[in-house]
Amino acid sequence: MFDPVEKLKEFIRHPSVSADPKFAAGMVGAREFVAGLLRSLGFAVEVVPTPLHPVILAERGGDARWPHVIIYGHYDVQPADPLNLWVSPAFEPALRGRRLYGRGAADNKGPLMTHIAAVARLLERRPDLPLRITFMIEGEEEMGSPSFAAFLAQQRDRLQKADFVFLSDTGSPREDQVVITCGLRGLVLCDVEVTGARTDLHSGLHGGVLRNPIQALAELCASLHTPDGRVNVPGFYDDVLPVEPWERAELAKLGQSEEQYREFLGIPAFHATAGFSPFESARFLPTLEFNGIGGGYQGEGTKTVIPSKAFVKISCRLVPNQSPAKIRALLYAAIRERMPPDVTFRLVDQHEGTPYVVVPPGRANTPPGQPAVLARAFRAADTAVTEIFGKPPLYLREGGSVPIIADIKRVLGLDSVLLGLFLPEDNLHAPNESFHLGMMEKGMATSEKILAAVADA
Ligand code: BES
Ligand code: MN
């Protein structure tokens, strides 16, 4: 059996930034590393080409009557910048205390390695384990998985006969309190580009004559929320479902302190959506955020200019039952109606993702006829987490998005069991990302137990 921490270090050393073509070699390196590791465990590994970054499919077949689990992960990572804020270089793994630092340590290389190591240990102990396992590891998650839906459709015949998907690409609030994520928010992203005059202008010669595109854009942005924190786009909340009582009860069991959360964020006060606590707002409601804004002079000192252009990048997070296409249409309609006629503008579609929800067995709104192996996997997860982390898991929806989980449900008809392994302190997408090795060890033991229980039933 290999040393999982050493293997994770090796994985992190491959700088696999999917969004930046300069990291093409890192993508190849990370992919070959994972493919080689799975091959060494006896898996039949196939690297399936896509228009951009290939998907690794690694199979352990067996008797068609055995349960079949697909373990999902992604080998790509977010860009590491701003590099100067890293305490140790992003792609040189560094162990400080019980944390391993490096880009992708938590999202998603550490959690993925946790499951690979769990499978390795389990198969070493029980080479005849009656379980079919397919690793499905993609390289475009951090850029919105543009190739993945087509990949799923192309591989539908061999994948849709699986029983469920198992993964860790979500978080838990504390080392002793695991969350099994049963909902993910969807996404709709776009850019708005506003143009005033055909070129930048001297603000003395022409000031007072035309509308400044930055002003037009700022007024548009300001119009997109009401003062109580709700999104001010007509129809935006129409399809939001009421929160189930059991979900509120689960959230209450988290026992999070608003004051501690406020301090963790470093803000003077919350500005959550009206009628909801900050914790409820992040998990149960949709949002509209500005991710970046620009236009005009950004350098030292001053420049008296009326810029020709301004832009903003917008993302909406959606909750289950909201449709990305519908929300995009509502948002664009509001923008078109509000933009003044004395500027021109362009709406640029960016990617989107459908929200996802799976209700674990035994809840008021569990869909009837939930597949037996899925229900068994949920129950096995509950038992394993309780035993290994010392506390039963909580079942909560998550504020983040893993859009392919809804694609897998739509194309293959499969639900996912999402075991949360990263922690709030892990700095996902930020400088000094790290993964807690305690979560890795306990995660391995948990994954091993769940897979064994699914096989043995
Ligand atoms: N692992 C994250 C999703 C996540 C983050 C789940 C935090 C739970 C808590 C995933 O890799 C990710 O970053 N997703 C992106 C969306 C993607 C389409 C770029 C996200 O949520 O912004
Ligand atoms: Mn991510």
Side-chain angles (χ1 to χ4, degrees):
M1 170 68 195
F2 59 84
D3 177 342
V5 178
E6 284 310 309
K7 283 288 174 208
L8 176 54
K9 286 184 184 166
E10 209 179 319
F11 198 5
I12 291 170
R13 275 189 208 104
H14 296 284
S16 46
V17 181
S18 51
D20 186 344
K22 286 199 288 296
F23 289 87
M27 289 300 291
V28 176
R31 191 161 65 235
E32 284 178 353
F33 165 79
V34 178
L37 181 58
L38 292 171
R39 247 179 231 120
S40 77
L41 299 178
F43 279 74
V45 179
E46 206 179 314
V47 175
V48 183
T50 71
L52 196 51
H53 302 299
V55 180
I56 300 165
L57 268 185
E59 281 184 346
R60 174 185 196 259
D63 194 311
R65 286 164 303 184
W66 295 354
H68 183 179
V69 56
I70 295 175
I71 301 180
Y72 168 87
H74 60 92
Y75 63 87
D76 65 323
V77 302
Q78 285 274 316
D81 59 287
L83 298 177
N84 61 320
L85 295 183
W86 284 78
V87 172
S88 50
F91 297 107
E92 290 172 27
L95 198 58
R96 292 197 285 282
R98 293 238 64 202
R99 289 187 162 276
L100 185 65
Y101 288 81
R103 171 55 87 229
D107 186 7
N108 170 247
K109 290 176 172 177
L112 172 56
M113 187 57 69
T114 302
H115 291 297
I116 296 177
V119 167
R121 215 156 67 175
L122 184 57
L123 293 180
E124 195 172 86
R125 263 195 316 118
R126 300 182 53 188
D128 300 325
L129 186 80
L131 181 66
R132 290 177 291 159
I133 304 171
T134 302
F135 280 97
M136 178 168 76
I137 303 168
E138 70 156 318
E140 299 177 3
E141 200 278 343
E142 296 294 0
M143 52 190 305
S145 305
S147 310
F148 202 71
F151 160 84
L152 286 176
Q154 178 208 335
Q155 302 288 331
R156 184 189 284 129
D157 286 349
R158 65 199 280 201
L159 296 175
Q160 71 183 357
K161 290 182 210 111
D163 292 296
F164 72 105
V165 178
F166 184 36
L167 68 145
S168 293
D169 199 19
T170 50
S172 283
R174 290 187 307 272
E175 213 194 318
D176 68 341
Q177 180 59 75
V178 167
V179 163
I180 292 179
T181 300
C182 44
L184 292 157
R185 287 201 284 193
L187 280 168
V188 167
L189 295 96
C190 70
D191 303 344
V192 187
E193 296 172 4
V194 183
T195 305
R198 66 182 164 75
T199 176
D200 284 6
L201 300 172
H202 189 292
S203 68
L205 284 175
H206 303 290
V209 170
L210 71 162
R211 192 187 302 267
N212 186 314
I214 296 181
Q215 183 193 343
L217 191 69
E219 285 174 2
L220 170 78
C221 291
S223 82
L224 291 173
H225 293 87
T226 49
D228 64 0
R230 286 172 63 89
V231 177
N232 186 27
V233 169
F236 193 80
Y237 293 95
D238 283 1
D239 297 329
V240 176
L241 299 173
V243 180
E244 291 286 325
W246 71 264
E247 296 192 271
R248 281 194 200 276
E250 288 290 297
L251 189 57
K253 282 191 229 159
L254 254 187
Q256 281 173 315
S257 135
E258 286 195 18
E259 188 51 24
Q260 269 171 22
Y261 184 34
R262 191 188 62 72
E263 273 172 25
F264 174 79
L265 297 178
I267 52 174
F270 287 110
H271 180 61
T273 315
F276 290 81
S277 80
F279 300 121
E280 292 170 341
S281 192
R283 292 183 191 267
F284 301 147
L285 288 180
T287 64
L288 183 154
E289 292 292 345
F290 307 112
N291 303 124
I293 190 162
Y297 183 59
Q298 313 274 325
E300 293 292 309
T302 61
K303 183 181 183 191
T304 48
V305 64
I306 300 171
S308 165
K309 285 184 187 301
F311 73 89
V312 66
K313 291 182 171 288
I314 296 179
S315 63
C316 296
R317 296 270 175 185
L318 313 187
V319 294
N321 200 47
Q322 284 187 298
S323 138
K326 184 170 168 190
I327 292 297
R328 191 184 290 282
L330 292 173
L331 173 63
Y332 286 11
I335 294 173
R336 288 193 179 108
E337 191 188 300
R338 290 172 200 180
M339 202 65 91
D342 43 27
V343 294
T344 56
F345 66 96
R346 212 159 71 90
L347 295 167
V348 184
D349 291 354
Q350 299 289 358
H351 63 82
E352 62 190 41
T354 307
Y356 174 75
V357 65
V358 57
V359 184
R363 310 284 158 165
N365 59 334
T366 307
Q370 200 169 54
V373 181
L374 175 71
R376 194 193 302 157
F378 269 112
R379 296 209 162 92
D382 195 288
T383 308
V385 167
T386 308
E387 202 173 302
I388 288 152
F389 288 84
K391 246 189 219 176
L394 295 177
Y395 297 86
L396 287 169
R397 288 194 252 156
E398 171 62 67
S401 308
V402 188
I404 57 93
I405 298 300
D407 292 340
I408 290 174
K409 176 74 181 180
R410 181 174 51 80
V411 181
L412 305 179
L414 299 179
D415 276 300
S416 293
V417 175
L418 299 121
L419 177 71
L421 287 184
F422 49 69
L423 296 174
E425 299 80 15
D426 288 4
N427 284 351
L428 269 69
H429 295 202
N432 305 307
E433 178 178 350
S434 68
F435 189 47
H436 192 289
L437 297 184
M439 294 303 280
M440 184 166 193
E441 266 166 30
K442 285 187 250 175
M444 266 172 71
T446 306
S447 173
E448 214 183 316
K449 262 199 174 331
I450 294 171
L451 295 171
V454 168
D456 289 337

